[in-house]
Every structure is written in C-alpha cells, then in structure tokens.
Amino acid sequence: MSAAPRKRVAVLISGRGSNMTALIEAAKAPDYPAEIVLVMSNVPEAGGLATAQANGIATCVVDHRAFGKDREAFEHAMQDVLATYHIDIVCLAGFMRLLTPWFVGQWQGRMLNIHPALLPAFKGLDTHARALAAGATQHGATVHFVVPEMDAGPIIVQGAVDVLPDDTEATLAARVLAVEHRIYPEALRRVAEDRSKP
Ligand code: GRF
C-alpha cells in the first residue's frame, strides 16, 4: 500500500518566521504528512524569506501596499500564487494582515493560524503583557482553524506554560514561543492527516 500523498503547504509570514522554521524542520521528517512548498510574505523585508530560501523553498512577496485599501485585490493576488503552487493547506505564522471573509472562505477548514495566548483569552496584540497585567497564572499558545472573526475558530492544539512570579514580557514570550514551535507542527500534522477537522 502506498502512503497518502503529502499535503502541499504554504506558510504566510510577515516577519522573522520562527514558527515557519519550526514547520520546515518538522516537514523534513520522511513520515511527516505535509511538505512546505511555498513561503509567502506581504513584507518584502521579512526575515523568514531568507530562511525559507536557504532551505530550498520557493518564496513569493505580495506587498499589500501595492493594492492600497483594496484588500480583495491583494488577496486575489495571493490566491493566484497559491493556486499556481497547488496548495492544499495554508499556515498563517505571524502574518499581520486581517483577511476578508472572501479569502477565508476559499480556505475554509484548510487554513491554520497560531496565536500566542490560550484562546479565547487574550485575542489581539500584546498578549504577553496583557496576561501579566491580568495576573494570569497560566498562559500559552493556540493553533486554530481560521474563520472570518479574528483569533477565533475551532481549536486544534493548545500548549500552556505557568506564569512565574518574576516573569517579564520577554521571559514569558520566550517560553510561549518554545511552546508555539512544538504545537504548530503537531497541529499541521493532525490536519494533514485529516485527524482534526473544523
Ligand atoms: C508568534 O508569536 C505568533 O504566535 C504570532 O506572531 C508571532 C510570529 O513569530 N501570530 P514568528 O514570525 O513565527 O517568529
């Protein structure tokens, strides 16, 4: 019996791409059910692009600034590239653009996001500072399916850390980031194997 074909994954980034790197590294295992075939960024200077290229992965920049306020035109340009690469699953990894219901609808059940908090707590930005300010005793990260509402959608995997008494935003962020790098590859594996559905 031949193994199921590996799912073709595009990772969308806007910055350093450490979660992207975790996905690339995981996908190097021969038994991993997905391969990273494309890294796309809306930011030409995104540091992750060089990492992707160093790993022999195709990269593409679709600069949102070229489209002004026309979000759908920006997204249609991204969609055209994703279609060219026959992408099965999209992973948002620090991709800092809100997506329209149209684009989300194209990828329903096939687009994942990672958020640095235990959703539904602390949606939005500055999650680590807000967790500290709230006196949270636990914090963490969530991989979820993307729905039109930001930082919502069915949860695939969560990972928690204890908040320590002497934590700063930086120390807490570093511990959560290590969790992110563990749970994103696990979540993508589940989705690629059809074990996790929205
Ligand atoms: C991560 O904390 C992720 O949870 C959030 O943006 C950050 C991206 O970091 N969505 P990196 O680019 O993956 O290093």
Side-chain angles (χ1 to χ4, degrees):
M1 195 180 80
S2 61
R6 303 173 88 201
K7 295 287 176 15
R8 295 173 62 81
V9 173
V11 185
L12 272 54
I13 64 170
S14 300
R16 66 186 164 181
S18 71
N19 279 289
M20 171 209 76
T21 303
L23 293 172
I24 291 172
E25 291 301 323
K28 287 178 181 172
D31 67 344
Y32 197 76
E35 58 179 324
I36 314 302
V37 297
L38 175 68
V39 170
M40 184 153 64
S41 176
N42 65 310
V43 177
E45 304 79 20
L49 290 169
T51 312
Q53 286 158 7
N55 280 276
I57 295 169
T59 61
C60 171
V61 173
V62 180
D63 189 340
H64 63 279
R65 293 171 300 188
F67 300 90
K69 289 192 181 351
D70 192 345
R71 281 186 190 272
E72 286 206 6
F74 163 63
E75 293 174 346
H76 274 281
M78 291 200 297
Q79 186 70 11
D80 287 348
V81 180
L82 295 171
T84 301
Y85 281 87
H86 303 289
I87 297 300
D88 299 309
I89 297 172
V90 171
C91 289
L92 305 180
F95 185 70
M96 301 304 284
R97 301 301 296 169
L98 292 176
L99 298 168
T100 69
W102 174 78
F103 188 80
V104 173
Q106 301 303 305
W107 294 97
Q108 203 204 341
R110 301 188 298 142
M111 181 155 61
L112 286 56
N113 180 46
I114 186 154
H115 181 73
L118 293 171
L119 291 174
F122 305 119
K123 298 179 179 185
L125 299 174
D126 299 324
T127 55
H128 309 308
R130 287 160 56 212
L132 288 172
T137 56
Q138 287 233 303
H139 187 45
T142 304
V143 182
H144 63 94
F145 287 107
V146 176
V147 296
E149 185 189 338
M150 187 188 71
D151 297 333
I155 289 170
I156 304 164
V157 182
Q158 290 188 304
V161 300
D162 289 333
V163 179
L164 304 177
D166 57 353
D167 259 333
T168 64
E169 193 179 339
T171 60
L172 185 55
R175 275 205 320 293
V176 171
L177 193 62
V179 169
E180 295 185 39
H181 296 164
R182 175 171 57 78
I183 67 172
Y184 213 166
E186 172 57 24
L188 177 58
R189 171 184 283 281
R190 288 192 197 183
V191 174
E193 290 176 345
D194 282 330
R195 287 191 288 126
S196 192
K197 296 183 181 176

PDB file of all heavy atoms in Angstrom, residues 13-21 48 92-96 113-117 127-128 141-142 151 173 176-177 180-181 184, ligand 1:
ATOM      1  N   ILE A  13       3.871  34.637   6.099  1.00  0.00           N
ATOM      2  CA  ILE A  13       4.593  35.325   7.168  1.00  0.00           C
ATOM      3  C   ILE A  13       4.640  36.830   6.902  1.00  0.00           C
ATOM      4  O   ILE A  13       4.432  37.284   5.770  1.00  0.00           O
ATOM      5  CB  ILE A  13       6.050  34.801   7.303  1.00  0.00           C
ATOM      6  CG1 ILE A  13       6.868  35.114   6.036  1.00  0.00           C
ATOM      7  CG2 ILE A  13       6.062  33.307   7.594  1.00  0.00           C
ATOM      8  CD1 ILE A  13       8.363  34.856   6.184  1.00  0.00           C
ATOM      9  N   SER A  14       4.948  37.566   7.979  1.00  0.00           N
ATOM     10  CA  SER A  14       5.236  38.999   7.831  1.00  0.00           C
ATOM     11  C   SER A  14       6.562  39.375   8.483  1.00  0.00           C
ATOM     12  O   SER A  14       6.968  40.537   8.392  1.00  0.00           O
ATOM     13  CB  SER A  14       4.114  39.842   8.463  1.00  0.00           C
ATOM     14  OG  SER A  14       2.867  39.602   7.861  1.00  0.00           O
ATOM     15  N   GLY A  15       7.210  38.434   9.185  1.00  0.00           N
ATOM     16  CA  GLY A  15       8.383  38.824   9.969  1.00  0.00           C
ATOM     17  C   GLY A  15       9.452  37.760  10.025  1.00  0.00           C
ATOM     18  O   GLY A  15       9.795  37.146   9.014  1.00  0.00           O
ATOM     19  N   ARG A  16       9.928  37.495  11.259  1.00  0.00           N
ATOM     20  CA  ARG A  16      11.139  36.673  11.413  1.00  0.00           C
ATOM     21  C   ARG A  16      10.919  35.215  11.017  1.00  0.00           C
ATOM     22  O   ARG A  16      11.858  34.528  10.618  1.00  0.00           O
ATOM     23  CB  ARG A  16      11.616  36.742  12.867  1.00  0.00           C
ATOM     24  CG  ARG A  16      10.654  36.113  13.825  1.00  0.00           C
ATOM     25  CD  ARG A  16      10.988  36.281  15.278  1.00  0.00           C
ATOM     26  NE  ARG A  16       9.785  35.962  16.043  1.00  0.00           N
ATOM     27  CZ  ARG A  16       9.665  36.008  17.342  1.00  0.00           C
ATOM     28  NH1 ARG A  16      10.702  36.391  18.070  1.00  0.00           N
ATOM     29  NH2 ARG A  16       8.535  35.699  17.929  1.00  0.00           N
ATOM     30  N   GLY A  17       9.701  34.714  11.194  1.00  0.00           N
ATOM     31  CA  GLY A  17       9.400  33.382  10.694  1.00  0.00           C
ATOM     32  C   GLY A  17       9.925  32.232  11.530  1.00  0.00           C
ATOM     33  O   GLY A  17      10.248  31.173  10.988  1.00  0.00           O
ATOM     34  N   SER A  18       9.951  32.383  12.859  1.00  0.00           N
ATOM     35  CA  SER A  18      10.446  31.247  13.652  1.00  0.00           C
ATOM     36  C   SER A  18       9.440  30.091  13.661  1.00  0.00           C
ATOM     37  O   SER A  18       9.843  28.916  13.678  1.00  0.00           O
ATOM     38  CB  SER A  18      10.798  31.683  15.082  1.00  0.00           C
ATOM     39  OG  SER A  18       9.658  31.975  15.830  1.00  0.00           O
ATOM     40  N   ASN A  19       8.153  30.394  13.624  1.00  0.00           N
ATOM     41  CA  ASN A  19       7.177  29.304  13.506  1.00  0.00           C
ATOM     42  C   ASN A  19       7.260  28.643  12.131  1.00  0.00           C
ATOM     43  O   ASN A  19       7.132  27.419  12.025  1.00  0.00           O
ATOM     44  CB  ASN A  19       5.768  29.821  13.780  1.00  0.00           C
ATOM     45  CG  ASN A  19       5.481  29.921  15.265  1.00  0.00           C
ATOM     46  OD1 ASN A  19       5.330  28.912  15.945  1.00  0.00           O
ATOM     47  ND2 ASN A  19       5.449  31.143  15.784  1.00  0.00           N
ATOM     48  N   MET A  20       7.453  29.443  11.111  1.00  0.00           N
ATOM     49  CA  MET A  20       7.686  28.893   9.766  1.00  0.00           C
ATOM     50  C   MET A  20       8.857  27.911   9.798  1.00  0.00           C
ATOM     51  O   MET A  20       8.789  26.818   9.232  1.00  0.00           O
ATOM     52  CB  MET A  20       7.978  30.047   8.799  1.00  0.00           C
ATOM     53  CG  MET A  20       8.441  29.615   7.428  1.00  0.00           C
ATOM     54  SD  MET A  20       9.533  30.855   6.675  1.00  0.00           S
ATOM     55  CE  MET A  20      11.057  30.566   7.594  1.00  0.00           C
ATOM     56  N   THR A  21       9.938  28.314  10.468  1.00  0.00           N
ATOM     57  CA  THR A  21      11.121  27.458  10.551  1.00  0.00           C
ATOM     58  C   THR A  21      10.790  26.149  11.267  1.00  0.00           C
ATOM     59  O   THR A  21      11.242  25.072  10.848  1.00  0.00           O
ATOM     60  CB  THR A  21      12.258  28.189  11.274  1.00  0.00           C
ATOM     61  OG1 THR A  21      12.531  29.402  10.576  1.00  0.00           O
ATOM     62  CG2 THR A  21      13.523  27.350  11.331  1.00  0.00           C
ATOM     63  N   GLY A  48      12.097  35.881   7.544  1.00  0.00           N
ATOM     64  CA  GLY A  48      11.846  34.475   7.266  1.00  0.00           C
ATOM     65  C   GLY A  48      12.053  34.091   5.816  1.00  0.00           C
ATOM     66  O   GLY A  48      12.260  32.912   5.504  1.00  0.00           O
ATOM     67  N   LEU A  92      -0.886  30.339   8.571  1.00  0.00           N
ATOM     68  CA  LEU A  92      -0.515  31.710   8.918  1.00  0.00           C
ATOM     69  C   LEU A  92       0.458  31.631  10.093  1.00  0.00           C
ATOM     70  O   LEU A  92       0.170  30.975  11.100  1.00  0.00           O
ATOM     71  CB  LEU A  92      -1.753  32.517   9.323  1.00  0.00           C
ATOM     72  CG  LEU A  92      -2.915  32.552   8.319  1.00  0.00           C
ATOM     73  CD1 LEU A  92      -4.069  33.387   8.879  1.00  0.00           C
ATOM     74  CD2 LEU A  92      -2.464  33.083   6.972  1.00  0.00           C
ATOM     75  N   ALA A  93       1.590  32.294   9.945  1.00  0.00           N
ATOM     76  CA  ALA A  93       2.616  32.225  11.000  1.00  0.00           C
ATOM     77  C   ALA A  93       3.205  33.622  11.183  1.00  0.00           C
ATOM     78  O   ALA A  93       4.197  33.978  10.559  1.00  0.00           O
ATOM     79  CB  ALA A  93       3.695  31.217  10.625  1.00  0.00           C
ATOM     80  N   GLY A  94       2.517  34.401  12.019  1.00  0.00           N
ATOM     81  CA  GLY A  94       2.942  35.790  12.172  1.00  0.00           C
ATOM     82  C   GLY A  94       2.621  36.604  10.940  1.00  0.00           C
ATOM     83  O   GLY A  94       3.369  37.509  10.575  1.00  0.00           O
ATOM     84  N   PHE A  95       1.494  36.303  10.310  1.00  0.00           N
ATOM     85  CA  PHE A  95       1.044  37.044   9.126  1.00  0.00           C
ATOM     86  C   PHE A  95       0.132  38.169   9.607  1.00  0.00           C
ATOM     87  O   PHE A  95      -0.942  37.902  10.153  1.00  0.00           O
ATOM     88  CB  PHE A  95       0.305  36.109   8.165  1.00  0.00           C
ATOM     89  CG  PHE A  95      -0.094  36.763   6.871  1.00  0.00           C
ATOM     90  CD1 PHE A  95       0.869  37.120   5.938  1.00  0.00           C
ATOM     91  CD2 PHE A  95      -1.430  37.023   6.586  1.00  0.00           C
ATOM     92  CE1 PHE A  95       0.507  37.723   4.742  1.00  0.00           C
ATOM     93  CE2 PHE A  95      -1.796  37.621   5.396  1.00  0.00           C
ATOM     94  CZ  PHE A  95      -0.833  37.977   4.473  1.00  0.00           C
ATOM     95  N   MET A  96       0.585  39.407   9.431  1.00  0.00           N
ATOM     96  CA  MET A  96      -0.030  40.533  10.144  1.00  0.00           C
ATOM     97  C   MET A  96      -1.014  41.314   9.275  1.00  0.00           C
ATOM     98  O   MET A  96      -1.046  42.548   9.295  1.00  0.00           O
ATOM     99  CB  MET A  96       1.064  41.463  10.673  1.00  0.00           C
ATOM    100  CG  MET A  96       2.040  40.779  11.625  1.00  0.00           C
ATOM    101  SD  MET A  96       1.232  40.012  13.041  1.00  0.00           S
ATOM    102  CE  MET A  96       0.890  41.466  14.019  1.00  0.00           C
ATOM    103  N   ASN A 113      -3.969  29.116  11.941  1.00  0.00           N
ATOM    104  CA  ASN A 113      -3.251  30.277  12.486  1.00  0.00           C
ATOM    105  C   ASN A 113      -2.710  29.900  13.855  1.00  0.00           C
ATOM    106  O   ASN A 113      -3.278  29.055  14.551  1.00  0.00           O
ATOM    107  CB  ASN A 113      -4.196  31.467  12.631  1.00  0.00           C
ATOM    108  CG  ASN A 113      -3.495  32.696  13.182  1.00  0.00           C
ATOM    109  OD1 ASN A 113      -2.394  33.056  12.731  1.00  0.00           O
ATOM    110  ND2 ASN A 113      -4.096  33.346  14.166  1.00  0.00           N
ATOM    111  N   ILE A 114      -1.606  30.545  14.223  1.00  0.00           N
ATOM    112  CA  ILE A 114      -1.097  30.383  15.590  1.00  0.00           C
ATOM    113  C   ILE A 114      -1.190  31.714  16.301  1.00  0.00           C
ATOM    114  O   ILE A 114      -0.851  32.760  15.744  1.00  0.00           O
ATOM    115  CB  ILE A 114       0.338  29.815  15.624  1.00  0.00           C
ATOM    116  CG1 ILE A 114       0.739  29.529  17.073  1.00  0.00           C
ATOM    117  CG2 ILE A 114       1.349  30.722  14.922  1.00  0.00           C
ATOM    118  CD1 ILE A 114       1.785  28.468  17.236  1.00  0.00           C
ATOM    119  N   HIS A 115      -1.699  31.630  17.537  1.00  0.00           N
ATOM    120  CA  HIS A 115      -1.895  32.845  18.335  1.00  0.00           C
ATOM    121  C   HIS A 115      -1.204  32.644  19.686  1.00  0.00           C
ATOM    122  O   HIS A 115      -1.385  31.601  20.313  1.00  0.00           O
ATOM    123  CB  HIS A 115      -3.392  33.100  18.534  1.00  0.00           C
ATOM    124  CG  HIS A 115      -3.659  34.334  19.329  1.00  0.00           C
ATOM    125  ND1 HIS A 115      -3.480  35.598  18.801  1.00  0.00           N
ATOM    126  CD2 HIS A 115      -4.058  34.506  20.607  1.00  0.00           C
ATOM    127  CE1 HIS A 115      -3.761  36.497  19.733  1.00  0.00           C
ATOM    128  NE2 HIS A 115      -4.117  35.862  20.833  1.00  0.00           N
ATOM    129  N   PRO A 116      -0.443  33.652  20.141  1.00  0.00           N
ATOM    130  CA  PRO A 116       0.330  33.475  21.377  1.00  0.00           C
ATOM    131  C   PRO A 116      -0.476  33.742  22.641  1.00  0.00           C
ATOM    132  O   PRO A 116      -0.136  34.609  23.447  1.00  0.00           O
ATOM    133  CB  PRO A 116       1.474  34.477  21.198  1.00  0.00           C
ATOM    134  CG  PRO A 116       0.869  35.574  20.388  1.00  0.00           C
ATOM    135  CD  PRO A 116      -0.129  34.918  19.464  1.00  0.00           C
ATOM    136  N   ALA A 117      -1.521  32.970  22.844  1.00  0.00           N
ATOM    137  CA  ALA A 117      -2.325  33.013  24.068  1.00  0.00           C
ATOM    138  C   ALA A 117      -3.218  31.781  24.079  1.00  0.00           C
ATOM    139  O   ALA A 117      -3.377  31.110  23.049  1.00  0.00           O
ATOM    140  CB  ALA A 117      -3.189  34.274  24.120  1.00  0.00           C
ATOM    141  N   THR A 127      -0.240  40.105  23.764  1.00  0.00           N
ATOM    142  CA  THR A 127      -0.855  39.093  24.626  1.00  0.00           C
ATOM    143  C   THR A 127      -0.057  38.852  25.900  1.00  0.00           C
ATOM    144  O   THR A 127      -0.641  38.634  26.960  1.00  0.00           O
ATOM    145  CB  THR A 127      -0.996  37.767  23.867  1.00  0.00           C
ATOM    146  OG1 THR A 127       0.300  37.394  23.366  1.00  0.00           O
ATOM    147  CG2 THR A 127      -1.971  37.907  22.715  1.00  0.00           C
ATOM    148  N   HIS A 128       1.280  38.879  25.805  1.00  0.00           N
ATOM    149  CA  HIS A 128       2.084  38.543  26.982  1.00  0.00           C
ATOM    150  C   HIS A 128       1.973  39.640  28.040  1.00  0.00           C
ATOM    151  O   HIS A 128       1.798  39.349  29.226  1.00  0.00           O
ATOM    152  CB  HIS A 128       3.544  38.311  26.581  1.00  0.00           C
ATOM    153  CG  HIS A 128       3.680  37.344  25.452  1.00  0.00           C
ATOM    154  ND1 HIS A 128       3.084  36.099  25.471  1.00  0.00           N
ATOM    155  CD2 HIS A 128       4.295  37.439  24.250  1.00  0.00           C
ATOM    156  CE1 HIS A 128       3.347  35.465  24.340  1.00  0.00           C
ATOM    157  NE2 HIS A 128       4.079  36.264  23.580  1.00  0.00           N
ATOM    158  N   ALA A 141      -0.209  29.149  24.033  1.00  0.00           N
ATOM    159  CA  ALA A 141      -0.409  29.397  22.611  1.00  0.00           C
ATOM    160  C   ALA A 141      -1.468  28.444  22.071  1.00  0.00           C
ATOM    161  O   ALA A 141      -1.712  27.378  22.639  1.00  0.00           O
ATOM    162  CB  ALA A 141       0.909  29.197  21.853  1.00  0.00           C
ATOM    163  N   THR A 142      -2.064  28.869  20.959  1.00  0.00           N
ATOM    164  CA  THR A 142      -3.173  28.130  20.356  1.00  0.00           C
ATOM    165  C   THR A 142      -2.989  28.061  18.845  1.00  0.00           C
ATOM    166  O   THR A 142      -2.713  29.084  18.211  1.00  0.00           O
ATOM    167  CB  THR A 142      -4.519  28.849  20.628  1.00  0.00           C
ATOM    168  OG1 THR A 142      -4.692  29.025  22.037  1.00  0.00           O
ATOM    169  CG2 THR A 142      -5.692  28.069  20.055  1.00  0.00           C
ATOM    170  N   ASP A 151      -8.779  35.690  15.467  1.00  0.00           N
ATOM    171  CA  ASP A 151      -8.380  34.912  16.646  1.00  0.00           C
ATOM    172  C   ASP A 151      -9.550  34.114  17.231  1.00  0.00           C
ATOM    173  O   ASP A 151      -9.675  33.942  18.448  1.00  0.00           O
ATOM    174  CB  ASP A 151      -7.740  35.814  17.711  1.00  0.00           C
ATOM    175  CG  ASP A 151      -6.458  36.458  17.216  1.00  0.00           C
ATOM    176  OD1 ASP A 151      -5.810  35.870  16.330  1.00  0.00           O
ATOM    177  OD2 ASP A 151      -6.113  37.545  17.701  1.00  0.00           O
ATOM    178  N   ALA A 173       7.308  35.595  26.880  1.00  0.00           N
ATOM    179  CA  ALA A 173       7.217  35.427  25.425  1.00  0.00           C
ATOM    180  C   ALA A 173       8.140  34.313  24.946  1.00  0.00           C
ATOM    181  O   ALA A 173       7.762  33.515  24.074  1.00  0.00           O
ATOM    182  CB  ALA A 173       7.575  36.736  24.726  1.00  0.00           C
ATOM    183  N   VAL A 176       6.628  30.937  25.828  1.00  0.00           N
ATOM    184  CA  VAL A 176       5.469  30.653  24.969  1.00  0.00           C
ATOM    185  C   VAL A 176       5.934  30.330  23.550  1.00  0.00           C
ATOM    186  O   VAL A 176       5.386  29.428  22.901  1.00  0.00           O
ATOM    187  CB  VAL A 176       4.476  31.835  24.976  1.00  0.00           C
ATOM    188  CG1 VAL A 176       3.392  31.633  23.914  1.00  0.00           C
ATOM    189  CG2 VAL A 176       3.846  31.995  26.355  1.00  0.00           C
ATOM    190  N   LEU A 177       6.954  31.026  23.086  1.00  0.00           N
ATOM    191  CA  LEU A 177       7.428  30.775  21.718  1.00  0.00           C
ATOM    192  C   LEU A 177       7.929  29.337  21.569  1.00  0.00           C
ATOM    193  O   LEU A 177       7.692  28.683  20.543  1.00  0.00           O
ATOM    194  CB  LEU A 177       8.518  31.776  21.339  1.00  0.00           C
ATOM    195  CG  LEU A 177       8.880  31.826  19.847  1.00  0.00           C
ATOM    196  CD1 LEU A 177       7.690  32.263  18.995  1.00  0.00           C
ATOM    197  CD2 LEU A 177      10.063  32.770  19.614  1.00  0.00           C
ATOM    198  N   GLU A 180       4.983  27.338  21.034  1.00  0.00           N
ATOM    199  CA  GLU A 180       4.471  27.519  19.667  1.00  0.00           C
ATOM    200  C   GLU A 180       5.195  26.596  18.692  1.00  0.00           C
ATOM    201  O   GLU A 180       4.575  25.968  17.825  1.00  0.00           O
ATOM    202  CB  GLU A 180       4.651  28.976  19.220  1.00  0.00           C
ATOM    203  CG  GLU A 180       3.831  29.969  20.020  1.00  0.00           C
ATOM    204  CD  GLU A 180       3.952  31.383  19.471  1.00  0.00           C
ATOM    205  OE1 GLU A 180       3.985  31.545  18.240  1.00  0.00           O
ATOM    206  OE2 GLU A 180       4.014  32.331  20.277  1.00  0.00           O
ATOM    207  N   HIS A 181       6.520  26.539  18.856  1.00  0.00           N
ATOM    208  CA  HIS A 181       7.324  25.749  17.917  1.00  0.00           C
ATOM    209  C   HIS A 181       7.047  24.255  18.058  1.00  0.00           C
ATOM    210  O   HIS A 181       7.309  23.489  17.138  1.00  0.00           O
ATOM    211  CB  HIS A 181       8.810  26.045  18.140  1.00  0.00           C
ATOM    212  CG  HIS A 181       9.163  27.479  17.847  1.00  0.00           C
ATOM    213  ND1 HIS A 181      10.333  28.067  18.267  1.00  0.00           N
ATOM    214  CD2 HIS A 181       8.467  28.448  17.198  1.00  0.00           C
ATOM    215  CE1 HIS A 181      10.353  29.330  17.868  1.00  0.00           C
ATOM    216  NE2 HIS A 181       9.241  29.589  17.226  1.00  0.00           N
ATOM    217  N   TYR A 184       2.737  23.947  16.680  1.00  0.00           N
ATOM    218  CA  TYR A 184       2.310  24.195  15.291  1.00  0.00           C
ATOM    219  C   TYR A 184       2.583  22.973  14.411  1.00  0.00           C
ATOM    220  O   TYR A 184       1.695  22.533  13.667  1.00  0.00           O
ATOM    221  CB  TYR A 184       2.952  25.473  14.738  1.00  0.00           C
ATOM    222  CG  TYR A 184       2.064  26.226  13.755  1.00  0.00           C
ATOM    223  CD1 TYR A 184       2.341  27.534  13.379  1.00  0.00           C
ATOM    224  CD2 TYR A 184       0.936  25.625  13.190  1.00  0.00           C
ATOM    225  CE1 TYR A 184       1.524  28.223  12.486  1.00  0.00           C
ATOM    226  CE2 TYR A 184       0.113  26.302  12.301  1.00  0.00           C
ATOM    227  CZ  TYR A 184       0.418  27.597  11.948  1.00  0.00           C
ATOM    228  OH  TYR A 184      -0.397  28.274  11.068  1.00  0.00           O
TER     229      TYR A 184
HETATM  230  C1  GRF B   1       4.188  34.408  17.035  1.00  0.00           C
HETATM  231  O1  GRF B   1       4.206  34.740  18.383  1.00  0.00           O
HETATM  232  C2  GRF B   1       2.807  34.010  16.611  1.00  0.00           C
HETATM  233  O2  GRF B   1       2.103  33.356  17.603  1.00  0.00           O
HETATM  234  C3  GRF B   1       2.164  35.328  16.308  1.00  0.00           C
HETATM  235  O3  GRF B   1       3.174  36.099  15.707  1.00  0.00           O
HETATM  236  C4  GRF B   1       4.442  35.639  16.159  1.00  0.00           C
HETATM  237  C5  GRF B   1       5.243  35.306  14.947  1.00  0.00           C
HETATM  238  O4  GRF B   1       6.545  34.935  15.266  1.00  0.00           O
HETATM  239  N1  GRF B   1       0.993  35.146  15.487  1.00  0.00           N
HETATM  240  P1  GRF B   1       7.455  34.226  14.181  1.00  0.00           P
HETATM  241  O5  GRF B   1       7.498  35.161  12.970  1.00  0.00           O
HETATM  242  O6  GRF B   1       6.856  32.914  13.846  1.00  0.00           O
HETATM  243  O7  GRF B   1       8.799  34.101  14.814  1.00  0.00           O
END
